[in-house]
Amino acid sequence: MRQVELTGIKNFECREVEQPAIGPGQAKIAVKAIGICGSDIHAYYGEHPFMDFPIVLGHECTGIIEEISGENTKLKKGDRVVLRPQRVCGACKPCRAGRYNICEKLEVLGCQCPGGASDYYVADEDLFYRLPDNVGFDEGTLIEPLAVAVHAVKRAFREVEGKNILVLGAGTIGNLVAQSVKGMGARKVMITDISDFRLDLAKQCGIGHTVNISRQELAEEIEKVFGKDGIDAVYECTANEAALNQALFLSPKGIPIVVAGVFAGMPHINLANVQDREYTLLGTLMYVEEDYMESIDLVKQGKICLKRLITQKFGLDRMADAFRYIEQNQDRVQKVVLDI
Ligand SMILES: [Zn+2]
Ligand SMILES: [Zn+2]
């Protein structure tokens, strides 16, 4: 079968390898689609702090079950599935508390161990979830980032219903956070960015209030849209120091601010306001199974638009072209998917 490996900075090798064999408790899929994510791009430039070469990418992965033990009651050969790319120890303190998304020994498939960028792929069978019939393989790759968004949303609230939400950043995660809170019943949702392209996409996905902070005054827009009640939470999805500081400057007292952006280096942030205004700063990482189930459910109910987010597709053997395309079209790219 074909397998594509990132062997060094901006260098992919596509080669023929043996098909993987399943072990006990595992399933083999015929891979159908792989999504390319921000962390893959960091790896491509050799700038990902927790990824090394060589690596087979592909943590956003869908396919068809090819082989699975007959004892599995949830899945069978021929089922269309999406991967939850987490390998955890099950024994550390976070794992014992059910928070295995922050396992001390967490390995992400496609980041610290091989992912799905190949014709066939084997993983533990409990990491595969059936795709709803109304979701294609391409869109299905977005269930993984959607679960990231759903987990982020839940860090601040059990119930989002009736809340006013501000999302900073309309990249894939920001877009999906905005769609998730809306799907879960938020009252009003506003999303910001500096790119009209990304804000237009958010609009097409049903996000009512978009603000281009390069030419609009965010404080004014917040007042216009949310009135005197203001916002109930902020989701920081830009990984930008200035954006986070803007949230710490504009937000009403006492609200949660969830940091979903993956910051590089050490930003200078206004901790005086965090203290004085009793903000709750919350980190968020990946997801647990419940977030996957909820994501799949939201999509099944038609509450999330995934298709619009896919702006380009390539074949598996054009992985290098796909990354070059992203590099050269940063302002016109949301999600790029590889069809296999
Ligand atoms: Zn991802
Ligand atoms: Zn653990």
Side-chain angles (χ1 to χ4, degrees):
M1 67 164 193
R2 296 170 304 165
Q3 183 182 62
V4 180
E5 196 169 53
L6 179 63
T7 55
I9 294 174
K10 298 189 181 188
N11 197 53
F12 289 101
E13 274 173 33
C14 185
R15 55 173 165 248
E16 286 293 319
V17 298
E18 288 286 308
Q19 275 195 30
I22 64 168
Q26 292 191 313
K28 176 158 119 180
I29 61 166
V31 181
K32 299 304 287 179
I34 298 284
I36 299 175
C37 157
S39 61
D40 297 326
I41 306 288
H42 287 307
Y44 174 72
Y45 289 121
E47 287 169 357
H48 196 296
F50 310 112
M51 281 171 79
D52 296 312
F53 302 121
I55 180 77
V56 178
L57 300 175
H59 62 275
E60 302 176 0
C61 173
T62 57
I64 299 173
I65 300 272
E66 181 81 10
E67 201 180 334
I68 190 165
S69 129
E71 283 143 48
N72 191 301
T73 52
K74 282 197 255 170
L75 295 169
K76 57 182 189 316
K77 186 175 156 73
D79 281 347
R80 303 161 67 253
V81 292
V82 56
L83 171 73
R84 173 168 59 87
Q86 284 172 317
R87 188 180 284 172
V88 302
C89 80
C92 68
K93 198 173 172 191
C95 275
R96 282 184 278 125
R99 297 179 68 183
Y100 48 85
N101 58 309
I102 48 169
C103 169
E104 300 287 358
K105 293 181 179 159
L106 175 68
E107 286 185 314
V108 181
L109 311 180
C111 295
Q112 287 82 38
C113 44
S118 48
D119 288 312
Y120 295 93
Y121 185 64
V122 164
D124 291 348
E125 58 190 15
D126 57 355
L127 296 180
F128 292 109
Y129 299 83
R130 195 181 284 125
L131 279 175
D133 293 340
N134 62 339
V135 180
F137 292 114
D138 290 344
E139 310 151 62
T141 61
L142 280 150
I143 300 275
E144 195 270 350
L146 177 59
V148 171
V150 165
H151 186 78
V153 171
K154 305 218 128 181
R155 290 286 290 144
F157 305 111
R158 275 180 186 283
E159 276 302 326
V160 185
E161 205 159 337
K163 301 278 197 294
N164 285 333
I165 305 292
L166 174 65
V167 180
L168 304 177
T172 301
I173 296 297
N175 179 301
L176 292 173
V177 165
Q179 290 202 62
S180 298
V181 285
K182 191 166 168 271
M184 293 175 192
R187 198 163 81 87
K188 285 180 181 172
V189 185
M190 176 184 280
I191 192 164
T192 70
D193 208 282
I194 51 170
S195 153
D196 285 330
F197 171 79
R198 286 191 288 269
L199 290 171
D200 273 350
L201 269 184
K203 244 180 230 160
Q204 288 169 39
C205 294
I207 306 308
H209 306 285
T210 60
V211 179
N212 188 324
I213 54 157
S214 67
R215 50 163 203 272
Q216 287 170 285
E217 205 49 64
L218 182 56
E220 276 173 28
E221 297 302 318
I222 288 175
E223 207 181 311
K224 231 188 275 170
V225 170
F226 298 110
K228 65 170 173 35
D229 286 349
I231 43 183
D232 298 305
V234 178
Y235 291 88
E236 201 301 308
C237 306
T238 65
N240 178 291
E241 181 181 307
L244 180 52
N245 278 318
Q246 194 176 27
L248 293 171
F249 182 70
L250 293 171
S251 298
K253 290 184 175 186
I255 69 164
I257 297 173
V258 180
V259 181
V262 181
F263 278 84
M266 293 228 250
H268 292 270
I269 66 158
N270 188 345
L271 277 180
N273 280 9
V274 175
Q275 174 271 319
D276 183 66
R277 301 178 180 184
E278 278 203 359
Y279 290 134
T280 308
L281 268 190
L282 292 155
T284 181
L285 182 81
M286 298 190 88
Y287 33 69
V288 291
E289 178 166 59
E290 290 73 16
D291 303 314
Y292 247 67
M293 311 284 245
E294 185 151 3
S295 301
I296 290 171
D297 213 48
L298 281 167
V299 172
K300 203 179 191 166
Q301 294 174 45
K303 289 188 170 165
I304 310 281
C305 163
L306 299 177
K307 222 177 239 170
R308 259 334 267 114
L309 296 183
I310 300 171
T311 46
Q312 204 73 23
K313 296 180 193 179
F314 291 86
L316 178 64
D317 39 14
R318 291 190 61 207
M319 183 91 115
D321 292 336
F323 276 74
R324 221 170 294 128
Y325 179 85
I326 295 169
E327 196 172 22
Q328 290 164 1
N329 294 279
Q330 299 213 2
D331 268 349
R332 273 172 292 156
V333 171
Q334 188 73 294
K335 180 59 82 181
V336 172
V337 167
L338 300 175
D339 282 325
I340 295 164

